[in-house]
């Protein structure tokens, strides 16, 4: 069980804001916690709920020993309600049942809390039912809506909540969470270098298309160094057919950029920063054949390619230019 002190290390601004609000007795009647998956939104929601109910807390820190804390930890508190999607969505009936529950007096006090997970998954009818409920807040009631997709929430609901944004995980935190999911370190480190969103990184790690794309990037770099005359042929016959869409090619260029950055890190003696950790021995051999200047030149070629891709240049022509320029040195 986390403490506010421990949670502050992960979400400093969020925790400071909430604990100061409690200290000054100025909790909002409705919060909207938004941020990527894995950033602690539900964990902090439950911590706030415990602090709200706990009668033996030390300042803002809940005791985790009293009946209120124990029942919140086990999900059995009569005045703390958690709503989650039923199937693919949160339905109107679920919100209506919540409103009905809140029509009754609190079982042990006047206080009530409700937490809605994946709030963006409310049906339009459910969202409108909740909107009416939020517009008429009850005394000593706190609502916490949790979302990883703020853009999918009704603007009318957003405007009636205090929106608190959770900072994304840093690379090391994300890497540890991915490894705890059983994802091999070489894949986890690559995914964590491409996104700060836990769910997206997890999806990348299990995506067969991405795994094959990684292999094709490695084959392209091998050809560029060992068989430069074959690199352009491989590009035409195998690479472009895999990275056929603009979004896919963007990922391909990102992988290519990470690979060349790894070469530079090895030359600079910063092996701990390498992303393609299963390629280190091969890369070390290559660093003895290339100057830092040549590596930096190729990094600049890829960066230029990324800029041109965003300016809607033809993807095939763009990659042809990238490979030809890298062949030149």
């Amino acid at each position: 069980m986390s403490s506010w002190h421990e949670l502050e290390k992960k979400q400093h601004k969020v925790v400071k804001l909430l604990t100061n609000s409690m200290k000054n007795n100025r909790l909002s009647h409705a919060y909207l916690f938004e941020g990527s998956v894995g950033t602690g939104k539900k964990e902090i929601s439950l911590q706030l709920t415990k602090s709200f109910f706990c009668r033996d807390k030390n300042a803002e820190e809940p005791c985790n020993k009293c009946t209120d804390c124990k029942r919140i930890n086990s999900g059995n508190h009569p005045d703390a309600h958690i709503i989650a999607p039923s199937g693919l969505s949160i339905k109107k009936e679920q919100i209506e049942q919540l409103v009905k529950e809140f029509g009754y007096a609190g079982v042990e006090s006047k206080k009530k809390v409700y937490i809605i997970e994946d709030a963006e998954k409310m049906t339009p009818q459910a969202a409108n039912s909740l909107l009416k409920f939020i517009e008429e807040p009850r005394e000593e009631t706190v609502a916490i809506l949790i979302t990883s997709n703020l853009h999918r929430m009704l603007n009318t609901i957003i405007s009636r909540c205090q929106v608190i944004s959770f900072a994304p995980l840093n690379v090391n935190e994300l890497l540890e969470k991915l490894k705890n999911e059983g994802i091999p370190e070489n894949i986890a480190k690559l995914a964590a270098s491409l996104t700060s969103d836990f769910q997206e990184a997890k999806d990348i790690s299990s995506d067969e298309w991405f795994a094959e794309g990684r292999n094709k990037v490695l084959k392209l770099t091998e050809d560029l160094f060992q068989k430069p005359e074959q690199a352009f042929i491989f590009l035409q016959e195998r690479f472009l057919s895999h990275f056929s869409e603009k979004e896919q090619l963007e990922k391909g260029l990102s992988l290519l950029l990470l690979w060349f950055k790894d070469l530079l890190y090895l030359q600079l003696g910063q092996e701990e920063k390498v992303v393609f950790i299963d390629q280190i021995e091969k890369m070390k051999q290559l660093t003895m054949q290339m100057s830092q200047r040549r590596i930096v030149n190729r990094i600049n070629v890829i960066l230029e390619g990324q800029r041109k891709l965003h300016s809607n240049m033809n993807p095939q022509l763009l990659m042809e230019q990238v490979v030809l320029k890298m062949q030149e040195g």
Side-chain angles (χ1 to χ4, degrees):
M1 288 173 287
S2 298
S3 65
W4 282 121
H5 178 70
E6 291 167 339
L7 291 169
E8 188 176 359
K9 296 175 185 176
K10 302 175 184 178
Q11 293 291 341
H12 176 77
K13 291 182 179 179
V14 171
V15 169
K16 277 294 184 185
L17 188 153
L18 292 174
T19 52
N20 283 337
S21 295
M22 285 187 285
K23 188 183 298 181
N24 297 316
N25 198 29
R26 298 192 64 172
L27 280 177
S28 173
H29 74 281
Y31 289 102
L32 179 52
F33 289 175
E34 71 89 16
S36 56
V37 175
T39 50
K41 298 186 296 297
K42 186 174 181 181
E43 190 177 9
I44 287 179
S45 298
L46 293 173
Q47 184 76 358
L48 178 61
T49 302
K50 285 189 289 186
S51 293
F52 187 62
F53 281 104
C54 182
R55 302 173 192 184
D56 298 319
K57 60 177 178 279
N58 179 14
E60 284 64 58
E61 193 67 61
C63 69
N64 279 311
K65 297 177 182 178
C66 69
T67 303
D68 283 315
C69 286
K70 287 180 178 179
R71 285 186 296 183
I72 291 166
N73 284 332
S74 63
N76 292 316
H77 197 289
D79 295 319
H81 302 267
I82 299 177
I83 304 293
S86 174
L88 297 176
S89 62
I90 297 173
K91 298 171 177 60
K92 181 182 179 182
E93 293 75 20
Q94 291 176 270
I95 301 300
E96 288 179 338
Q97 181 59 37
L98 176 70
V99 173
K100 183 178 179 181
E101 288 286 342
F102 274 67
Y104 305 135
V107 174
E108 295 172 7
S109 70
K110 293 182 179 180
K111 295 181 177 180
K112 283 181 177 285
V113 170
Y114 64 92
I115 298 170
I116 301 181
E117 298 184 69
D118 299 321
E120 77 280 0
K121 294 183 179 178
M122 286 186 286
T123 64
Q125 296 84 357
N128 284 320
S129 294
L130 180 68
L131 179 61
K132 296 176 183 178
F133 192 42
I134 291 178
E135 284 176 335
E136 300 173 359
R138 297 171 181 270
E139 189 178 353
E140 292 196 271
T141 291
V142 175
I144 305 171
L145 281 60
I146 300 173
T147 182
S148 300
N149 294 283
L150 184 64
H151 64 281
R152 291 178 56 190
M153 298 287 298
L154 284 180
N155 287 331
T156 46
I157 287 182
I158 294 174
S159 66
R160 286 161 177 77
C161 298
Q162 182 174 349
V163 179
I164 298 182
S165 297
F166 282 59
L169 296 169
N170 65 43
V171 172
N172 290 332
E173 289 173 334
L174 184 53
L175 179 60
E176 285 306 309
K177 286 180 73 70
L178 292 170
K179 287 164 63 178
N180 289 339
E181 292 284 326
I183 296 168
E185 185 176 6
N186 64 316
I187 300 299
K189 193 159 188 179
L190 188 57
S193 299
L194 292 171
T195 178
S196 59
D197 184 287
F198 172 69
Q199 188 60 52
E200 185 179 0
K202 188 177 176 182
D203 291 343
I204 287 172
S205 300
S206 59
D207 187 346
E208 291 183 10
W209 177 90
F210 182 80
E212 182 61 24
R214 176 183 182 274
N215 291 336
K216 283 181 166 41
V217 167
L218 291 175
K219 180 64 169 67
L220 180 61
T221 58
E222 181 181 322
D223 283 355
L224 282 168
F225 283 96
Q226 299 178 8
K227 306 173 187 176
E229 72 283 355
Q230 295 291 321
F232 198 79
I233 297 173
F234 174 76
L235 176 75
Q236 298 292 338
E237 294 182 351
R238 306 287 298 278
F239 190 93
L240 289 171
S241 61
H242 189 77
F243 297 98
S244 57
E245 303 293 331
K246 180 178 177 180
E247 185 178 332
Q248 293 173 337
L249 185 54
E250 190 170 10
K251 285 188 172 69
L253 285 169
S254 294
L255 290 172
L256 199 59
L257 181 63
L258 288 171
W259 193 89
F260 277 98
K261 281 185 173 180
D262 282 354
L263 280 185
L264 189 58
Y265 287 140
L266 287 173
Q267 281 212 344
L268 295 172
Q270 299 176 359
E271 186 173 325
E272 72 283 356
K273 293 184 178 180
V274 170
V275 173
F276 284 89
I277 55 176
D278 56 343
Q279 302 294 312
I280 285 179
E281 294 309 313
K282 291 181 181 179
M283 288 179 166
K284 283 181 177 178
Q285 295 177 13
L286 291 173
T287 57
M288 293 187 287
Q289 303 171 25
M290 291 189 72
S291 66
Q292 284 185 22
R293 182 177 179 180
R294 286 187 69 195
I295 295 173
V296 170
N297 284 344
R298 292 186 176 192
I299 288 173
N300 287 332
V301 168
I302 299 167
L303 290 170
E304 182 185 358
Q306 289 179 322
R307 287 192 293 271
K308 288 182 177 179
L309 184 64
H310 292 147
S311 66
N312 293 320
M313 181 177 176
N314 178 277
Q316 180 173 337
L317 179 59
L318 183 151
M319 277 308 300
E320 289 174 355
Q321 289 184 0
V322 167
V323 170
L324 288 171
K325 286 181 179 179
M326 285 200 288
Q327 284 177 320
E328 293 169 1

